[in-house]
């Protein structure tokens, strides 16, 4: 048995644990410190080392190999305010012989290859900047050797350091072979001068939104119809011949800092050029490797539009992009490499389609819920899954739920366990409600979740999308029905779920289908502006009190939020009303596909008169309504 701890020191720091080829845990530092994009350039006790080990059920003493990656370290360029480890670092001795260091792009490559389960594949890694070195080569070496090299005095005469920005590998017979590598060029204005697809997207997103980490916003903006004549086209940014070359000299454009919608034409041109570049490099990777399967890693592969174009290339048979292709995924690659290097021959892994590698949801006790003003919602007796059936009924009534259950997602996208969810048909103005809750632009898209077996019924696109890494086209016959799940350009960032990798959400979708609605949920992450995905019970209870959210759904509870107020109960056409007998012994029954249920006389009479009744969210009446197949929704 081999247990390996992987550590990424850099922006979006993280720690992961792999045992015998199985990824047991992975935690981003931001989820522990509650600081979005939190990073750590050197070994420090701020890193989530203990959290990752605890989730894997092990200790540092039981770990066989430790593999770190130091994004900011450069030869003869560590020390002062950028050491390799803090003097107070206590998790382990950095010079422990178990401790090794891996270069940035090699760790990226491992982070997508081993989780893909492919025995042979081409690999494309692309980001703004990877490891800086004298020779531009990959390395995997003991920390003591890395330390000696990076603190050494080197005669610099006639030498320049090299910083990797794009790498192509082949992976076969258990070995990575570097086939091609591009290096960044030193420039005193890197936020203007562009030399890579990553730099292009980063520079323009900063310009348009006047903020860092705005790549997702630029991707969404590119899908909006332009409000003016185009100031840029893709051809202005990249040449049309093969191989395409990025242009400069177009940067003197007006825009940025105002209403981002006015820059939709700029965003569209950038997305076009960016996709052209990435599809070229993807096709070149499979051509160089001579293998039609492709694994991709690096922050640029959070771009769904480009990923979808790569997946559609005729030369690409199978495309795998992990849940965390950006730098936080480095720790996963480091851990897998440490394990593979210990094996006597080529290793075999299984494809990873689940991302629930973080901390389990903290319990919300009745006392804690009451302290914040939440009321428990009674669940339907006799159903296969009481909680799921009740939640489905409430979603079908148009409510917005926050789901805080199971283990947290590792990657940057919420996939159902730390999510805000509602139904695209039953919930009025669903997208607007979720965007208002998250205090973001109304044109930002939300993501539909669908069972894998229903994907082809509603959407065109790749065969699966467990990590929400691709755009899909909605089938024409469902465009109007699913309008709330679509972006302005008619695409949807779909997530597929299966009973194996997301059983609770799959079961919830099945319950929704049984109610006669399309088995689709709209999903966005459980966090507000400037927050990482929320991962503590108290923070969830604070956040969910927003008036837009009606309920909080956990592993074993359903709570009405303090702001949800009274409920409306509505009788769908499929529910039949009947009375038996008369006088004091009369029985009042509602019948539906799930069976017949006796109900209160007053509820029955109210439904006869107005087909609608108001109820206290914590009352017995709600339980009767749900049991009888009535729809229960918040009175907004």
């Amino acid at each position: 048995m081999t247990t390996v701890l992987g550590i990424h020191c850099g922006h979006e720091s993280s720690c992961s644990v792999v045992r015998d080829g199985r990824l047991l845990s992975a935690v981003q530092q931001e989820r522990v410190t509650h600081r979005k994009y939190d990073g750590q350039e050197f070994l420090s006790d701020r890193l989530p080392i203990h959290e990752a080990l605890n989730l894997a059920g092990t200790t540092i003493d039981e770990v066989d190999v430790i593999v770190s990656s130091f994004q900011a370290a450069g030869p003869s360029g560590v020390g002062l305010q950028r050491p390799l480890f803090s003097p107070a670092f206590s998790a382990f001795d950095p010079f422990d012989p178990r401790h090794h260091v891996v270069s940035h792009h090699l760790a990226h490559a491992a982070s997508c290859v081993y989780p893909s389960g492919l025995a042979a594949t081409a690999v494309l890694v692309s980001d703004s900047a990877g490891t800086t070195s004298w020779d531009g080569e990959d390395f995997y070496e003991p920390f003591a050797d890395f330390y000696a090299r990076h603190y050494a005095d080197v005669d610099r005469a006639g030498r320049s350091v090299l910083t990797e920005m794009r790498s192509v590998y082949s992976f076969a017979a258990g070995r990575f072979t570097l086939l091609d590598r591009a290096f960044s060029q030193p420039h005193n204005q890197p936020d203007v001068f562009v030399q890579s697809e990553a730099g292009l997207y980063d520079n323009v997103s900063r310009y348009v939104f006047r903020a860092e980490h705005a790549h997702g916003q630029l991707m969404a903006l590119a899908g909006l119809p332009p409000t003016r004549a185009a100031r840029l086209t893709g051809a202005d940014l990249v040449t049309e011949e093969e191989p395409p070359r990025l242009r400069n000299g177009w940067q003197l454009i007006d825009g940025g800092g105002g209403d981002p919608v006015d820059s939709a034409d700029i965003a569209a041109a950038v997305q076009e050029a960016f996709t052209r570049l990435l599809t070229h490099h993807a096709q070149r990777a499979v051509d160089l490797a001579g293998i039609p399967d492709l694994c991709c890693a690096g922050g640029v592969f959070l771009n769904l539009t480009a990923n979808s174009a790569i997946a559609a290339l005729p030369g690409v048979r199978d495309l795998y992009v992990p849940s965390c292709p950006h730098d936080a995924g480095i720790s996963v690659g480091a851990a897998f490499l440490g394990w593979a290097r210990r094996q006597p021959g080529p290793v075999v892994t299984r494809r990873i389609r689940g991302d629930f590698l973080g901390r389990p949801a903290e319990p919300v006790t009745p006392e804690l819920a009451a302290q914040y003003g939440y009321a428990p919602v009674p669940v339907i007796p006799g159903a296969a899954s009481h909680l799921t059936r009740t939640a489905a009924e409430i979603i079908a009534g148009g409510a917005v739920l926050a789901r805080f259950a199971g283990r947290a997602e590792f990657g940057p996208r919420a996939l159902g366990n730390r999510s805000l969810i509602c139904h695209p048909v039953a919930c009025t103005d669903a997208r607007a409600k979720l965007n208002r809750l998250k205090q973001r632009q109304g044109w930002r898209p939300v993501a539909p979740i669908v069972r894998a077996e229903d994907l082809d019924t509603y959407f065109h696109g790749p065969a699966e999308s467990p990590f929400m890494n691709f755009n899909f086209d909605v089938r024409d016959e469902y465009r109007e029905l699913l309008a709330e799940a679509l972006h302005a350009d008619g695409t949807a960032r779909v997530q597929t779920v299966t009973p194996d990798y997301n059983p609770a959400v799959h079961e919830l979708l099945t319950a929704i289908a049984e109610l006669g609605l399309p088995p689709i949920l709209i999903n966005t992450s459980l966090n507000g502006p400037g927050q990482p995905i929320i991962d503590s019970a108290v923070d969830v209870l604070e956040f969910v009190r927003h008036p837009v959210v009606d309920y909080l759904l956990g592993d074993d509870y359903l709570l009405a939020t303090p702001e949800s107020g009274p409920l409306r109960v509505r009788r769908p056409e499929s529910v039949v009303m009947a009375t038996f007998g008369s006088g004091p012994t009369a029985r009042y029954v509602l019948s539906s596909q799930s069976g017949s249920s006796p109900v209160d006389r007053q509820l029955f009479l109210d439904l006869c008169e107005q087909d609608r009744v108001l109820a206290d969210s914590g009352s017995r009446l709600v339980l009767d309504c749900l049991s009888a197949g009535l729809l229960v929704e918040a009175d907004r």
Side-chain angles (χ1 to χ4, degrees):
M1 185 171 69
T2 301
T3 302
V4 184
L5 169 66
I7 302 172
H8 167 56
C9 295
H11 53 258
E12 296 153 343
S13 293
S14 65
C15 295
S16 304
V17 175
V18 166
R19 177 180 295 141
D20 292 342
R22 183 180 170 215
L23 182 58
L24 299 182
S25 65
V27 182
Q28 289 195 52
Q29 184 169 303
E30 66 169 22
R31 310 294 170 82
V32 178
T33 63
H34 310 295
R35 295 174 57 185
K36 196 167 187 177
Y37 309 117
D38 197 16
Q40 187 65 49
E41 293 183 351
F42 49 85
L43 293 173
S44 161
D45 287 341
R46 295 183 72 248
L47 289 160
I49 292 173
H50 295 295
E51 285 79 5
L53 292 172
N54 288 339
L55 287 169
T58 190
T59 66
I60 195 66
D61 293 336
E62 296 172 330
V63 168
D64 299 290
V65 183
I66 304 166
V67 184
S68 297
S69 182
F70 295 87
Q71 183 181 30
S76 306
V78 296
L80 301 179
Q81 71 272 26
R82 285 191 166 91
L84 290 178
F85 56 89
S86 164
F89 180 61
S90 62
F92 58 86
D93 179 2
F95 294 94
D96 188 312
R98 297 176 298 170
H99 188 201
H100 290 68
V101 181
V102 63
S103 52
H104 193 83
H105 276 197
L106 180 56
H108 260 318
S111 76
C112 58
V113 167
Y114 292 112
S116 76
L118 294 168
T121 180
V123 186
L124 175 61
V125 176
S126 175
D127 57 12
S128 295
T131 292
T132 297
S133 62
W134 290 114
D135 59 10
E137 297 294 326
D138 290 322
F139 56 81
Y140 177 94
E141 62 186 353
F143 177 82
D145 295 347
F146 178 81
Y147 179 91
R149 286 196 304 109
H150 281 68
Y151 275 106
D153 176 37
V154 177
D155 184 356
R156 303 183 305 278
R159 302 184 68 183
S160 297
V161 294
L162 300 170
T163 301
E164 57 193 11
M165 69 177 188
R166 188 185 310 109
S167 299
V168 175
Y169 298 86
S170 66
F171 177 80
R175 296 180 60 86
F176 288 93
T177 301
L178 180 64
L179 303 177
D180 187 60
R181 174 161 287 162
F183 301 96
S184 63
Q185 305 169 26
H187 200 285
N188 68 328
Q189 295 293 346
D191 56 345
V192 178
F193 179 78
V194 295
Q195 54 184 303
S196 70
E197 54 275 12
L200 171 66
Y201 223 85
D202 191 47
N203 291 358
V204 177
S205 65
R206 289 171 187 254
Y207 175 68
V208 170
F209 294 98
R210 295 295 195 265
E212 294 188 40
H213 308 293
H215 314 97
Q217 295 181 64
L218 190 70
M219 180 173 63
L221 185 63
L224 298 187
T227 60
R228 55 187 294 173
R231 288 162 286 182
L232 284 176
T233 66
D236 294 324
L237 305 177
V238 65
T239 59
E240 295 184 3
E241 70 268 11
E242 292 289 340
R245 177 184 63 83
L246 266 169
R247 298 180 187 272
N248 281 283
W250 52 266
Q251 288 91 332
L252 193 62
I253 52 174
D254 63 312
D259 184 352
V261 174
D262 293 335
S263 296
D265 61 312
I266 297 175
V270 170
Q271 183 65 58
E272 178 187 347
F274 178 86
T275 302
R276 165 116 166 81
L277 287 165
L278 267 189
T279 51
H280 164 78
H281 292 306
Q283 185 63 59
R284 183 167 180 267
V286 297
D287 289 345
L288 286 173
I291 304 171
D293 300 324
L294 178 64
C295 294
C296 296
V300 301
F301 296 104
L302 287 171
N303 190 287
L304 283 69
T305 304
N307 289 349
S308 302
I310 293 171
L313 288 172
V316 175
R317 180 174 62 188
D318 183 11
L319 173 63
Y320 185 83
V321 180
S323 67
C324 200
H326 69 333
D327 280 356
I330 288 284
S331 67
V332 173
F336 269 114
L337 270 174
W339 165 71
R341 294 268 178 146
R342 296 259 298 193
Q343 308 313 305
V347 298
V348 177
T349 57
R350 296 180 59 187
R351 176 157 295 195
I352 295 177
R353 292 182 170 89
D355 189 47
F356 304 114
L357 301 163
R359 298 188 292 185
E362 294 178 344
V364 176
T365 64
E367 294 77 17
L368 183 61
Q371 179 182 337
Y372 283 84
Y374 288 76
V377 175
V379 298
I380 305 169
S385 174
H386 306 172
L387 189 64
T388 299
R389 174 71 180 186
T390 305
E393 293 275 6
I394 287 174
I395 290 171
V400 175
L401 273 69
R403 187 165 188 271
F404 180 64
R407 290 181 65 174
E409 298 87 343
F410 168 54
R413 294 186 173 124
L415 302 174
N417 282 8
R418 304 290 184 273
S419 289
L420 296 161
I421 56 176
C422 60
H423 196 272
V425 179
C427 183
T428 305
D429 297 326
R431 183 173 61 244
K433 286 180 178 178
L434 294 179
N435 282 334
R436 185 167 70 249
L437 169 61
K438 292 174 70 70
Q439 299 178 43
R440 65 187 189 185
Q441 304 98 329
W443 44 264
R444 296 279 292 278
V446 290
I449 305 178
V450 63
R451 297 180 300 185
E453 60 266 33
D454 298 321
L455 178 63
D456 289 341
T457 300
Y458 298 99
F459 303 99
H460 291 288
E464 62 177 359
S465 182
F467 305 133
M468 204 190 301
N469 278 335
F470 302 100
N471 276 338
F472 288 74
D473 293 319
V474 181
R475 293 189 180 275
D476 291 341
E477 59 267 36
Y478 292 108
R479 281 183 174 272
E480 183 176 354
L481 182 68
L482 301 179
E484 289 298 310
L486 305 188
H487 192 34
D489 61 0
T491 62
R493 44 178 61 185
V494 175
Q495 176 199 348
T496 54
V497 297
T498 67
D500 293 332
Y501 289 94
N502 204 331
V505 173
H506 189 275
E507 184 182 11
L508 182 59
L509 288 166
T510 299
I512 289 170
E514 291 171 353
L515 295 173
L517 289 171
I520 296 174
L521 288 169
I522 285 182
N523 168 39
T524 190
S525 56
L526 183 58
N527 63 313
Q531 282 183 302
I533 293 176
I534 295 173
D535 203 20
S536 82
V538 169
D539 289 345
V540 166
L541 292 170
E542 288 280 5
F543 179 80
V544 173
R545 288 198 288 186
H546 191 285
V548 166
V549 186
D550 302 301
Y551 297 91
L552 174 60
L553 175 62
D555 287 306
D556 55 2
Y557 60 84
L558 179 62
L559 301 173
T561 67
E563 301 293 337
S564 58
L567 304 176
R568 286 192 179 273
V569 179
R570 181 164 52 88
R571 182 180 66 85
E573 293 181 359
S574 58
V575 174
V576 178
M577 304 173 63
T579 60
F580 297 91
S582 61
T585 61
R587 292 188 298 117
Y588 303 89
V589 177
L590 300 183
S591 298
S592 65
Q593 291 180 347
S594 59
S596 299
S597 299
V599 294
D600 175 81
R601 177 177 179 273
Q602 189 58 54
L603 170 61
F604 188 91
L605 295 176
D606 288 342
L607 288 171
C608 287
E609 291 183 4
Q610 54 189 333
D611 196 36
R612 202 172 275 265
V613 64
L614 292 179
D616 179 358
S617 63
S619 70
R620 174 71 194 183
L621 180 58
V622 176
L623 181 59
D624 292 340
C625 295
L626 292 171
S627 301
L630 299 175
L631 299 179
V632 181
E633 57 192 11
D635 180 33
R636 297 296 193 208

